[in-house]
Amino acid sequence: MTVNSSRFLADLHALRDFGRDGQGVRRRAFSDPDLAARAWLADRMAEAGLTPHFDPVGNLFGLVPGQSLLLGSHSDTQPEGGWLDGALGVIAALEVARASLEADGRAISVVSFQDEEGRFGALTGSSVWSGKLNLAAADALVATDGTQFSDARARLAARASDFVDPARFVGFLEMHIEQGPVLDQAGDTIGVVTGIVGLRQFQITVKGEQNHAGTTPMAMRRDAFVAVTRIATLLEDRLANIATPKTVWTIGHLRLEPNASSIVPGRAVFMLQWRDADAERLQRIEEAIQGVLAEVQGGTGCAITFERLRQDLAPMPMDDMMQAELAKAAKRVAPGQWRSMPSGALHDASNVAALMPVGMLFVPSINGISHAFEEDTAEDDLVIGLKVLAEAASRLAPL
Ligand code: GLV
Ligand code: MN
Ligand code: MN
């Protein structure tokens, strides 16, 4: 097969226009731009000779008959997302499947998973498809804007049919931007992914005492925000001896109540997530976090509770044979400019690995920026990635 790089880039730019905001994109799962993008993608699939198929949770497949290799990623974005996160793997998959059909080549199907970016859960669409999360549990998930998953997915009900049988696929390949600085700094073009980190998340609630900001003496306050800042500061200290340079933890979402400048905050609810490639270390971090919460509760007089948010994701190694085929293709297409590396970002591949052999490849992110409007990759690197994907797929897909 011969992939058409200008057609691939044109489609990638066309997808960017759904929800575009400056250089970046806002295309949350099941938002208007996401639904419009999915309808557009289904049309592109049909045009290419693939059969579009929406499942009950909004995953969009482009299928060839019989057994095939599955390629793809996701087309939803973060609230302030880059234009390539997910979109690249979906459009590269479309181009490779299309080129293969044109060449009367191997059997390749395409997928755009839904809600990879966790508006409702983490990797929600692939979690349900892989059997990790049942549909009733998914339906009960509520986004931070109050929308329930069952209501969101009802927006696609008119187009949805059954779940696609995973036994149709012999394996899954996902191409993605690295979203970190490693390839960019090393001057490499391709990363063959060895494994995907594990992730855990807590939703933590701090109950202090709401009171007047002018009359309440500092010594009498139980300020929920002060407790949050102490938690954040103490974590750095208590995790210092557990974390490796690759361990990360983030407080990325905080709701302060009532969030008014003349009121001592009475309540704070925030998300704390941590990621590591080692399952045992994830557990030790969890124990350290619980210790910090108890310590801050004692020191501030605020009541601090937590609940595990969404499902834990275990660290997930990529399949050896898939890695070997991707490495072989990288050696040919980008000799001396590729490396094996772990993924610190989550990917649907992590869930799909429960069903079939899975492999991933990365292309560089300029300055390591992602989950931000500035996210970008040099066009030449996008095309080299496409060629590596095509070469590996043409060896792995059934005839
Ligand atoms: C998904 O993009 C993640 O790594 O959070
Ligand atoms: Mn992604
Ligand atoms: Mn992402």
Side-chain angles (χ1 to χ4, degrees):
M1 83 173 90
T2 312
V3 287
N4 179 333
S5 50
S6 45
R7 182 172 63 180
F8 155 71
L9 291 170
D11 277 347
L12 199 50
H13 281 281
L15 179 52
R16 184 185 201 168
D17 283 339
F18 294 93
R20 182 163 186 166
D21 188 335
Q23 229 185 289
V25 180
R26 298 177 191 270
R27 204 163 56 230
R28 287 307 262 163
F30 296 110
S31 64
D32 290 343
D34 172 58
L35 297 184
R38 269 167 212 279
W40 172 85
L41 192 58
D43 290 346
R44 294 286 77 67
M45 287 169 168
E47 232 173 59
L50 302 159
T51 304
H53 178 114
F54 286 93
D55 78 8
V57 293
N59 297 320
L60 168 59
F61 290 81
L63 298 168
V64 292
Q67 287 263 295
S68 59
L69 177 73
L70 184 63
L71 307 184
S73 188
H74 62 96
S75 53
D76 63 301
T77 76
Q78 288 285 329
E80 291 191 9
W83 73 293
L84 294 168
D85 179 357
L88 174 62
V90 171
I91 299 299
L94 173 66
E95 178 52 33
V96 173
R98 185 162 52 192
S100 191
L101 281 165
E102 284 169 352
D104 211 6
R106 303 218 170 204
I108 296 171
S109 294
V110 177
V111 64
S112 170
F113 287 112
Q114 182 56 302
D115 197 29
E116 192 274 351
E117 299 289 13
R119 179 183 174 200
F120 297 92
L123 321 178
T124 316
S126 60
S127 293
V128 176
W129 186 55
S130 65
K132 208 171 145 182
L133 180 68
N134 69 48
L135 191 53
D139 274 344
L141 294 170
V142 179
T144 49
D145 65 6
T147 307
Q148 193 162 335
F149 187 72
S150 52
D151 293 329
R153 74 182 181 90
R155 301 195 70 193
L156 259 173
R159 292 201 70 170
S161 31
D162 278 351
F163 287 103
V164 173
D165 181 0
R168 291 176 72 112
F169 307 116
V170 298
F172 175 64
L173 289 181
E174 179 169 1
M175 173 179 169
H176 207 280
I177 49 167
E178 181 204 324
Q179 310 185 271
V182 175
L183 294 173
D184 192 48
Q185 282 179 2
D188 280 342
T189 311
I190 296 290
V192 174
V193 177
T194 51
I196 299 172
V197 291
L199 175 147
R200 296 188 186 186
Q201 289 194 89
F202 278 173
Q203 176 166 286
I204 300 171
T205 302
V206 180
K207 282 198 193 115
E209 186 175 58
Q210 184 176 330
N211 209 338
H212 195 290
T215 59
T216 315
M218 297 310 283
M220 281 181 62
R221 293 183 182 205
R222 283 190 287 129
D223 182 326
F225 181 63
V226 167
V228 175
T229 61
R230 287 208 191 149
I231 291 166
T233 313
L234 262 185
L235 276 174
E236 293 224 12
D237 181 61
R238 300 298 190 269
L239 296 183
N241 289 329
I242 305 173
T244 73
K246 289 205 167 82
T247 309
V248 291
W249 63 95
T250 307
I251 296 174
H253 185 268
L254 164 70
R255 200 170 72 234
L256 208 56
E257 293 174 7
N259 206 17
S261 51
S262 291
I263 301 178
V264 177
R267 194 164 181 269
V269 182
F270 66 97
M271 317 282 195
L272 171 62
Q273 68 161 239
W274 60 105
R275 306 187 190 203
D276 198 276
D278 182 80
E280 201 235 311
R281 194 174 299 110
L282 285 171
Q283 179 58 29
R284 285 171 61 208
I285 293 169
E286 177 163 337
E287 285 155 18
I289 289 169
Q290 291 186 24
V292 166
L293 299 184
E295 201 173 327
V296 174
Q297 174 162 280
T300 60
C302 293
I304 303 178
T305 54
F306 63 89
E307 64 182 288
R308 189 173 297 281
L309 194 66
R310 299 152 184 175
Q311 69 281 19
D312 286 354
L313 286 150
M316 186 58 70
M318 297 291 96
D319 179 79
D320 287 341
M321 192 259 298
M322 294 298 215
Q323 285 189 58
E325 286 297 348
L326 287 167
K328 210 187 291 172
K331 259 181 221 159
R332 240 192 43 78
V333 179
Q337 284 194 302
W338 70 279
R339 62 172 56 213
S340 291
M341 61 183 295
S343 172
L346 287 181
H347 299 288
D348 294 303
S350 175
N351 281 333
V352 181
L355 302 171
M356 62 191 80
V358 161
M360 281 200 78
L361 78 146
F362 284 164
V363 291
S365 293
I366 295 172
N367 297 324
I369 304 277
S370 185
H371 284 188
F373 287 158
E374 292 76 17
E375 171 192 288
D376 207 1
T377 297
E379 257 184 24
D380 287 352
D381 291 344
L382 296 174
V383 171
I384 289 171
L386 173 72
K387 289 181 176 163
V388 173
L389 179 71
E391 178 148 339
S394 67
R395 283 209 213 95
L396 290 161
L399 275 168

